[in-house]
Amino acid sequence: MNIKEAREEICNTVRAYLLRDEGGRYLYPSVRQRPILLMGPPGVGKTAILEQAASRCGVGLVAYALTHHTRQSAIGLPHIEKRLFGGRELDVTEYTMSEIVAAVYDCMERSGKREGILFLDEINCVSETLAPTMLQLLQNKSFGSHKLPEGWVLVTAGNPPEYNRAVREFDVATLDRVRQIDIEPDCGVWLEYAWEHGVHGAIVSYLGIRPEHFYRVEEREDGRDFVTARGWEDLSELIRGYETLDVPFTAAVAAQYLRKDEIAKSFAAYYQLYRHYGTDYAIPALLSGELDAEARAAKAQMAGQGGFEERLTVVQLILDCLGAEFRRYARADRRTAALHQALSQLKGQWDGQAAPVTLEAFRVQREDSLRVKLQAGLLERPAQEAEAWVIDTLRRYELLLKRERLGGNAAGFDALRREFQKEVEGRGALASDLLARLERAFSFVLDSFGDGQELLLLVSGLTRSPLAAAFLSEHPCKAYLQYSEKLLFRRQERQLQEQCAELL
């Protein structure tokens, strides 16, 4: 399965293992809770989906790479204790707590989460001395004499032997104690993630044209060629840094991340074209409506006369520009929703209270809560950013109330409500502006290329983006609805034709 399907399976498993009866007891017997074994090539995103799964399930997460551990750190260090046996005092070897189990308890203390996921990466690369301990862990959920706390689900990961020479083959006894999920690289699924998380448009565009370059691991006489999802995402960050500093991006730099010369050179060449087309077509000005009718018509004519690669790149430049606007709106929407939740909580603490909590004390409570969640790794980056913004906004509101000499009363909350309404209106203005940009995008593509494959690329690009889909579900775009329905009809028509052909 692909990485997205694997994430959903992990979430479903965690929820199933943590079901409780009316008395609060776990329904799923611990002995039957088979650990999940994610088996897939390196750099495909196994660690990232564990962070997402833990956040979605509202549980803690402790992650370890087992190649960094010895038998002593995994099961603890030995020490001598005195015990009475049959009236005789004897020396007995005990062990200190496992470093890994101790980290789980530490996470529980810091986060307040009594349930969680223990993720052990590279489990099939452990040393020979640690291998028996791993079998014990998979079978009994314990390291030596220290058992994993109840409510913690074990997820492991490893690379198949063809990707890692240090891999130890699992025997049947081990495999019979895990749920193995085999993960395959999927360019389409990764592009959804890339668009949502702001991976550089040149990478998204390039892989949309050449999906076969997304993931490669090939043997050579003198080593290996490899290109991974991790490499593309890390390269995206470097490109943005180079662009900010106005540093040239070359094939030699690309080859440091894309370890196959053919792909590195191909992408570096495409990147130069992408930058060139970005300058020629001035997509941000086109979508914002800054270009006059004559300039817009000239660019539409230039696009229509372009070759296959240029036409697809122009559409991808439009999608990239729209993607930045969708992310901007989603950020504003998260902030507004988080602020609404905070103010609702504040109102509950102010209503009917003779001595309501001060806004400053309320803000400090949220700061402390955010600090704990960050230390425990319980928040994904968008949620972190939204909560940090809420805290800064509450600090600004404090100054407002002090300036107006208002406190935790009806007049004070009315002032906060008015300020909040400004945020709502700002979000509405962003939505209206984004709808106008969408209409201009469709108009330009139709004027340039008609309703051919370029329009299909625009519609499908918007459809596969979770942020675009969320926005369009709340703010219908006339052009998108019109052409997505038309393309859906075409698709259904082709399917019927194929079915009829099979019957003949």
Side-chain angles (χ1 to χ4, degrees), residues 23 98-99 165 178 203 250 285 300 336 374 435 457-458 480 492:
S98 160
E99 179 184 324
R165 295 188 180 94
V178 299
I203 292 175
T250 65
T336 306
L374 290 176
L435 282 171
L457 178 62
L458 177 62
Y480 173 78
Q492 292 172 337

Side-chain angles (χ1 to χ4, degrees), residues 6-264:
R7 182 190 62 198
E8 295 307 311
E9 190 59 37
I10 292 169
C11 288
N12 293 336
T13 299
V14 169
R15 295 187 183 109
Y17 285 1
L18 299 182
L19 285 173
R20 297 172 182 259
D21 62 17
E22 295 177 354
R25 294 177 293 271
Y26 289 107
L27 292 171
Y28 212 116
S30 177
V31 69
R32 299 298 172 214
Q33 292 183 13
R34 287 197 174 195
I36 292 176
L37 171 60
L38 301 175
M39 191 63 71
V44 77
K46 297 188 288 294
T47 303
I49 64 167
L50 263 298
E51 296 171 353
Q52 296 165 18
S55 178
R56 292 188 178 195
C57 294
V59 299
L61 174 67
V62 173
Y64 269 94
L66 288 176
T67 49
H68 303 154
H69 279 275
T70 63
R71 184 174 182 274
Q72 287 75 22
S73 63
I75 69 173
L77 294 172
H79 62 91
I80 304 299
E81 292 287 340
K82 300 289 187 181
R83 293 281 187 88
L84 285 174
F85 293 100
R88 296 177 59 198
E89 187 178 66
L90 299 174
D91 292 336
V92 177
T93 301
E94 295 283 356
Y95 286 86
T96 58
M97 178 171 280
S98 160
E99 179 184 324
I100 296 173
V101 175
V104 170
Y105 280 107
D106 184 53
C107 176
M108 293 167 67
E109 286 294 320
R110 287 186 289 106
S111 68
K113 301 284 186 181
R114 313 311 295 176
E115 300 172 330
I117 299 172
L118 173 59
F119 175 52
L120 301 177
D121 199 5
E122 300 175 335
I123 192 171
N124 56 346
C125 294
V126 298
S127 63
E128 188 173 347
T129 58
L130 194 54
T133 302
M134 289 302 101
L135 182 58
Q136 179 195 24
L137 169 67
L138 297 175
Q139 183 173 2
N140 302 324
K141 317 297 187 302
S142 64
F143 289 91
S145 58
H146 303 112
K147 197 167 182 62
L148 199 62
E150 192 177 29
W152 280 73
V153 177
L154 182 60
V155 180
T156 66
N159 304 135
E162 59 267 29
Y163 298 105
N164 192 332
R165 295 188 180 94
V167 160
R168 298 170 56 86
E169 291 280 4
F170 284 140
D171 56 24
V172 174
T174 302
L175 293 174
D176 195 35
R177 289 175 169 84
V178 299
R179 291 179 55 194
Q180 182 168 331
I181 297 176
D182 294 319
I183 300 175
E184 296 294 334
D186 188 316
C187 185
V189 168
W190 189 81
L191 286 175
E192 291 180 20
Y193 165 87
W195 215 55
E196 182 177 4
H197 288 79
V199 171
H200 197 284
I203 292 175
V204 175
S205 177
Y206 179 80
L207 293 178
I209 297 172
R210 294 184 174 83
E212 70 277 8
H213 288 180
F214 169 59
Y215 200 99
R216 293 278 189 90
V217 177
E218 300 172 358
E219 290 283 356
R220 290 186 289 110
E221 290 185 3
D222 56 344
R224 281 184 174 178
D225 289 332
F226 58 91
V227 177
T228 68
R230 182 190 296 125
W232 285 113
E233 192 165 5
D234 290 348
L235 180 59
S236 170
E237 295 298 323
L238 182 81
I239 291 174
R240 293 196 187 284
Y242 272 32
E243 288 176 347
T244 301
L245 298 170
D246 197 25
V247 174
F249 177 76
T250 65
V253 174
Q256 296 165 15
Y257 292 80
L258 312 175
R259 301 294 296 276
K260 184 170 178 62
D261 285 346
E262 168 198 341
I263 295 176

Side-chain angles (χ1 to χ4, degrees), residues 1 15 40 83 94 101 152 195 279 290 364 391 416 472:
M1 62 177 63
R15 295 187 183 109
R83 293 281 187 88
E94 295 283 356
V101 175
W152 280 73
W195 215 55
T279 301
E290 296 174 31
V364 170
I391 291 170
L416 299 185
L472 291 167

Side-chain angles (χ1 to χ4, degrees), residues 478-494:
K478 182 178 178 181
Y480 173 78
L481 291 174
Q482 177 184 351
Y483 292 106
S484 60
E485 288 177 0
K486 185 175 181 180
L487 291 169
L488 177 62
F489 175 78
R490 287 182 180 177
R491 214 174 292 125
Q492 292 172 337
E493 184 178 38
R494 284 197 300 272

